Amino acid sequence: MKQKQQVSHNGSNKRFRPNQKYDKTLDYLNSWMEKKGITWKQSIIVRKDASGHSVFATRDLKEDEIVCTVPKTAILSRKTSPLRDIIDEEELAGGMALTLCLMYEMTLKKKSEWWPYLQSLPQVVDLPMYWDEQALTHLEGTCLDPSTIVEENALLLEDYQSIIKPLFRKHAIFNEGKYMNFESYRRAAGLVASRAFSVDDFHDLSMVPLCDIFNHKSGSENVHMECQAEVCLECGSEDHVEHDAPTHDEHVANVKSISMTTNSDIKCKSELFNVYEDLSNVDLLLKYGYAHENNPFDVVSIKPDVIHNAIHDKKWFDKNRWEYWLSIKNTKLEEEEEENEEEDDGDEEDEELHCEFNAEGKPNHTLLLLLCIMFAKKEQYASWKNVKKLIQHVKSQAVTKQMKEACVIMAKERLSIYKDSLDEDLEGLQDKHLPSRHKWSLIIKVCEKRILHKVVEE
C-alpha cells in the first residue's frame, strides 16, 4: 500500500445506482456511507450483477485524481471494534483478530454499527477453503495441492476450537451475538482473506467499506489505495503528538482517511481496478476465488523431489552439490533481505523458497542457484563455500545452454504429473456450462502447462 501525505477531496457525493433494477441493499449502503463521512465523486458508479459489485467511471478521469475517501473511523478493525480490549488482553493480531471482530459484528446483524455495510458483502466468496472433496480433485497436479487446502482447514478449525471458542465463555460481550459457531467464523475468515486491507501500523488488517468494492485484474490496475501507514502505535494518530495514553474516544480526531486514487487517465465507462499484489493464479484463487489466463505474474513451482527424480541419473548430477544446494537454497538475494528487514521480527521460521519458472519460462533465483552449483567448475564451486560469493554470482548469471537443457528435463518431469494434456484442458474450457470451481482449476492447469511448454520449446 502506498504511503501519502494528507490529501484533500474535492467533489460531492452521488448515490451509487445499480445498472438494472432498484437495489435496496446498495441504497441502504449509500445512506450509511454518507452518515459515516465516506465521500465519493460523481465520476464513479457502482454496478451490481450476478458476479457481484463493480466500479465504473461515469466520465473521463485524470491521473492522480481522488475518486473516494474513507475516514479511518468508518473501517472495521481490531482497534475500532467493540472487542478491542479483549483483542489486546488476549494478544490476538492479524487475520485471526479481524476474523473474530467481523464474525461478532455479523452475528449482531442489525444491532451492529456496520450492518448496512456487512449486509452488502457476499454470503460467501467461493475460495478453495470451501470446496468439497470432489471439487478439490480438479486441482490435482497443479501447484495448489488439494492436501494443502485440507490441512489449512484443519488448522483453522484447531484455532477456532483452542483459541476463539473459549473466549465465548470467558467474555460476556459474546452473549449479544447469535450463531457464534465455526461456520460463522469460517465465513468471516473467507471474507477477511479476500477483502481485508493492511491499513496502517495501528489498525493492521481492516475491512474498508467502498474500497473493497473495486475489483482486481492483473495488468489492468488503474486505481490504488493511499493512506499514511506509519502512525502512532498507541492511538493511530498521524500527527505523532506526545500524549499520555489517550482513550479510544479522545484520539479519534487525530486519525485521518484512506483514499482511492487513479494511477493513470481512465476513459468514461471503463471499470476501475484496484492495485493488489502481483499474484500467481494459485494465489489469486486462494485469496480471491478466481484465476485468469494470460496472467503475467503466474508461475509454476517444482518441488525438490520432482527435480531430483528428473536429474539424479544425469552424468552431470553430483550428490554432494545437491545436498549443498538443499542446505542453502533458502538464502535470499541481498535486495530481498533488505526489503524484508523491517518486516522480520525474528520470531518466524525461515520462509521456504520454491523453485519456479515464471510466466516467461525463466528459472527463479532458487532454481538458478541449483543450476549454478551443478554446472560450476571445480575451482569455482570450491570458492562458493562462501555463500555470499555464490549469491553475488547468481545475481549476474545468464542461463547457459547446459542450464536450459537441464530446465527442459525438469519441465518435462513436471508435465508428467498432470493426468490430462494441455489440449484436453483447453477443450474442457470450451464447455459453457462448466462449474466455476472446475473452470478455475482448468485455467490454472492450462496456464501452468503453457509455461512448462514454453520452457521445453524455447
Side-chain angles (χ1 to χ4, degrees), residues 57 59-62 222-223 262 264-268 270 272:
R59 65 166 174 80
D60 289 348
L61 299 172
K62 296 293 184 181
N222 48 23
V223 297
T262 59
S264 59
D265 293 350
I266 301 172
K267 292 292 185 181
C268 179
S270 298
L272 275 61

Side-chain angles (χ1 to χ4, degrees), residues 62-126:
K62 296 293 184 181
E63 184 178 359
D64 291 329
E65 190 171 341
I66 298 171
V67 295
C68 68
T69 304
V70 180
K72 289 184 180 179
T73 51
I75 69 176
L76 174 58
S77 75
R78 65 181 187 179
K79 295 299 185 180
T80 61
S81 168
L83 304 181
R84 55 187 171 271
D85 292 337
I86 295 174
I87 297 294
D88 290 341
E89 178 185 336
E90 302 293 339
E91 298 182 340
L92 302 181
M96 181 181 291
L98 183 58
T99 298
L100 176 61
C101 295
L102 180 58
M103 176 184 68
Y104 173 72
E105 296 298 332
M106 290 193 302
T107 57
L108 289 180
K109 296 189 178 295
K110 293 184 178 180
K111 294 180 180 179
S112 169
E113 177 184 346
W114 286 272
W115 178 244
Y117 161 64
L118 298 176
Q119 52 84 48
S120 72
L121 298 177
Q123 276 300 308
V124 65
V125 180
D126 195 27

Side-chain angles (χ1 to χ4, degrees), residues 173-426:
I173 191 172
F174 291 108
N175 295 332
E176 299 175 29
K178 296 181 179 180
Y179 311 111
M180 301 281 285
N181 53 40
F182 178 64
E183 285 309 309
S184 59
Y185 182 75
R186 195 161 170 247
R187 183 201 168 201
L191 290 170
V192 167
S194 61
R195 303 178 79 90
F197 296 91
S198 182
V199 169
D200 59 35
D201 297 337
F202 179 71
H203 291 282
D204 197 11
L205 277 181
S206 307
M207 304 297 289
V208 186
L210 184 54
C211 290
D212 62 5
I213 293 179
F214 292 81
N215 290 321
H216 167 67
K217 186 177 181 181
S218 296
S220 300
E221 301 91 340
N222 48 23
V223 297
H224 63 271
M225 179 185 286
E226 286 190 347
C227 70
Q228 184 66 31
E230 296 180 2
V231 300
C232 176
L233 295 177
E234 289 188 59
C235 68
S237 169
E238 297 180 7
D239 299 330
H240 297 283
V241 178
E242 292 294 332
H243 57 78
D244 296 322
T247 64
H248 176 76
D249 293 333
E250 288 172 342
H251 64 57
V252 164
N254 295 329
V255 181
K256 295 182 174 66
S257 302
I258 300 163
S259 64
M260 295 296 290
T261 305
T262 59
N263 297 343
S264 59
D265 293 350
I266 301 172
K267 292 292 185 181
C268 179
K269 298 183 180 180
S270 298
E271 183 172 356
L272 275 61
F273 292 105
N274 189 14
V275 172
Y276 288 74
E277 302 169 79
D278 296 338
L279 300 176
S280 68
N281 273 336
V282 164
D283 289 331
L284 284 175
L285 186 62
L286 282 172
K287 295 190 71 172
Y288 304 113
Y290 74 95
H292 63 78
E293 295 188 62
N294 304 314
N295 181 353
F297 308 113
D298 207 14
V299 299
V300 179
S301 62
I302 308 183
K303 295 180 179 179
D305 62 323
V306 176
I307 296 175
H308 188 269
N309 287 341
I311 67 175
H312 75 282
D313 59 349
K314 305 305 175 186
K315 290 183 179 179
W316 44 262
F317 178 82
D318 185 289
K319 183 179 179 182
N320 291 329
R321 294 190 181 199
W322 171 263
E323 290 178 351
Y324 175 60
W325 173 74
L326 287 177
S327 71
I328 57 98
K329 72 183 179 71
N330 286 342
T331 304
K332 299 180 180 180
L333 293 173
E334 289 180 5
E335 304 94 274
E336 293 174 334
E337 291 177 347
E338 290 174 5
E339 289 174 4
N340 297 323
E341 192 175 51
E342 294 182 1
E343 300 175 10
D344 185 10
D345 58 9
D347 295 328
E348 297 183 1
E349 295 182 3
D350 290 339
E351 180 186 357
E352 177 72 13
L353 300 182
H354 300 285
C355 293
E356 296 172 343
F357 291 112
N358 65 16
E360 297 178 350
K362 307 299 182 184
N364 72 339
H365 163 70
T366 309
L367 187 49
L368 196 55
L369 198 65
L370 170 63
L371 295 171
C372 286
I373 290 172
M374 280 295 170
F375 294 112
K377 292 182 179 179
K378 188 175 181 180
E379 298 78 13
Q380 188 177 40
Y381 172 67
S383 72
W384 287 346
K385 294 302 178 180
N386 182 327
V387 179
K388 286 187 177 181
K389 285 186 178 181
L390 172 57
I391 297 299
Q392 284 296 106
H393 177 84
V394 171
K395 286 165 62 177
S396 59
Q397 174 66 52
V399 179
T400 65
K401 183 179 179 181
Q402 271 187 314
M403 292 178 178
K404 287 180 180 178
E405 291 172 352
C407 286
V408 169
I409 294 169
M410 296 175 197
K412 287 181 177 179
E413 182 73 19
R414 182 66 180 80
L415 279 167
S416 69
I417 295 175
Y418 301 103
K419 293 181 179 179
D420 302 313
S421 68
L422 175 58
D423 289 339
E424 288 172 321
D425 289 340
L426 287 169

Side-chain angles (χ1 to χ4, degrees), residues 428-436 438-439:
L429 279 176
Q430 300 306 309
D431 184 355
K432 295 181 180 180
H433 303 291
L434 193 67
S436 61
H438 195 179
K439 174 186 175 182

